[in-house]
Amino acid sequence: MPLSYQDMQRALMEELRLYHYPVAVHFFFDDEELERFKAGTEFYVPVKPMTFCQWEIAARMKGQTVLGAKETLGCSNALVSFGWKEIDENEIKSHLKYCRDAEQAERFVRSKARLPLGELKAVSVGPLGDATLPPSTVHFYCDNMQAYHLCVDYMAAMDQHPLRSNITMNSSACGGNVYSYLEKSANLLPACSGSYNAGKTERGEINFVLQGEALVPTVERLLTRKRELGSGAITRPGDHFPGADVCKNCPLIIFKKS
């Protein structure tokens, strides 16, 4: 029996001890698909323009599905990433604080992943378990060891090694999802200055994003390891905590059944 989105969310949260819902991101390029989504899904809309990573706060922390559009997106980085805005002088100027000079800033901005200009209709973000459409990408806000487990299962499932990250100046959440969608590859990247502040990313958290096509194989790989070894933990197979902080072969931190 195929895994449901609820099954996959439950497995990921229980086995990896996630403290945020995995965020299912869907890019709408078709008007009919968008109207079907509106008719068949309970969703929220931003009251006023805000950032993409702020949309994701509702999804990962409150369990709400948010439907956003160009007019409700108040972030120039995300507007460029989603193909809702041309790269202009102001966008380049906003990156001068990161770069050596204007020439480098323009080169760096133009090297970011972007959806085709004007083709995207809307974007939805919501808990994976509530997804009503196949996700374009799935975005995890997680800690170091949770990210490591996801990377390992992804690489094994997709037969892709090594996994190469795509880290940019700004655009971690928005551009990070666009990169995975366009390149059909997972991405592991830190919070950018915008998503750290606006997106309320904790200091120890990191972003892991995978393309929608890789979701089922990655979760199935996790569940296969659980069946074979008794749990999803890689660092100590059989333990029920992914990343137990115990030195390998330590003769002291050992327990036996009474």
Side-chain angles (χ1 to χ4, degrees):
M1 183 176 178
L3 290 168
S4 69
Y5 293 124
Q6 292 88 349
D7 292 335
M8 288 187 279
Q9 176 173 283
R10 188 179 307 111
L12 288 162
M13 297 199 73
E14 288 180 356
E15 295 304 316
L16 301 184
R17 299 295 194 269
L18 297 176
Y19 35 83
H20 294 289
Y21 293 116
V23 180
V25 179
H26 191 86
F27 296 125
F28 291 92
F29 297 96
D30 181 75
D31 288 319
E32 290 186 9
E33 182 184 51
L34 178 57
E35 291 308 312
R36 288 196 300 271
F37 173 86
K38 289 179 178 179
T41 306
E42 182 180 283
F43 63 90
Y44 294 76
V45 295
V47 174
K48 56 184 179 181
M50 58 184 78
T51 67
F52 171 74
C53 42
Q54 286 172 335
W55 295 352
E56 289 191 304
I57 292 172
R60 65 188 173 96
M61 292 185 179
K62 300 185 71 174
Q64 295 174 345
T65 296
V66 174
L67 182 64
K70 180 179 179 180
E71 58 271 16
T72 58
L73 185 58
C75 170
S76 65
N77 290 300
L79 286 166
V80 169
S81 294
F82 294 160
W84 284 340
K85 177 179 178 289
E86 290 271 18
I87 293 174
D88 57 19
E89 188 176 348
N90 287 334
E91 187 67 18
I92 294 167
K93 283 182 177 179
S94 72
H95 285 70
L96 285 175
K97 60 184 176 182
Y98 307 113
C99 299
R100 296 198 306 255
D101 52 39
E103 184 276 330
Q104 185 183 69
E106 181 170 1
R107 257 193 308 115
F108 282 14
V109 169
R110 294 192 182 280
S111 69
K112 294 184 184 183
R114 288 175 284 154
L115 294 176
L117 193 65
E119 292 188 10
L120 185 67
K121 308 292 183 180
V123 184
S124 69
V125 296
L128 174 62
D130 291 345
T132 57
L133 291 169
S136 302
T137 57
V138 182
H139 186 178
F140 297 82
Y141 286 80
C142 49
D143 68 23
N144 176 71
M145 285 311 302
Q146 292 164 339
Y148 175 69
H149 280 67
L150 286 163
C151 286
V152 167
D153 283 334
Y154 171 85
M155 289 187 286
M158 304 306 290
D159 195 26
Q160 179 182 341
H161 192 273
L163 175 60
R164 303 189 187 281
S165 296
N166 184 265
I167 300 172
T168 61
M169 293 176 177
N170 265 342
S171 313
S172 284
C174 50
N177 278 280
V178 169
Y179 170 83
S180 288
Y181 173 72
L182 292 176
E183 299 297 324
K184 304 305 178 191
S185 177
N187 195 11
L188 181 71
L189 67 166
C192 65
S193 54
S195 66
Y196 173 67
N197 292 311
K200 302 303 178 189
T201 307
E202 298 294 335
R203 289 186 66 87
E205 289 179 335
I206 193 166
N207 299 279
F208 178 77
V209 186
L210 55 76
Q211 70 274 32
E213 297 87 344
L215 173 63
V216 172
T218 300
V219 176
E220 286 181 340
R221 174 60 191 157
L222 167 65
L223 295 176
T224 297
R225 288 194 301 99
K226 180 181 179 180
R227 285 193 299 271
E228 293 175 349
L229 301 172
S231 79
I234 290 173
T235 48
R236 292 174 67 85
D239 274 10
H240 292 282
F241 185 80
D245 192 7
V246 179
C247 296
K248 187 175 183 180
N249 298 328
C250 178
L252 300 177
I253 308 177
I254 299 173
F255 301 89
K256 66 178 182 179
K257 192 171 184 179
S258 174

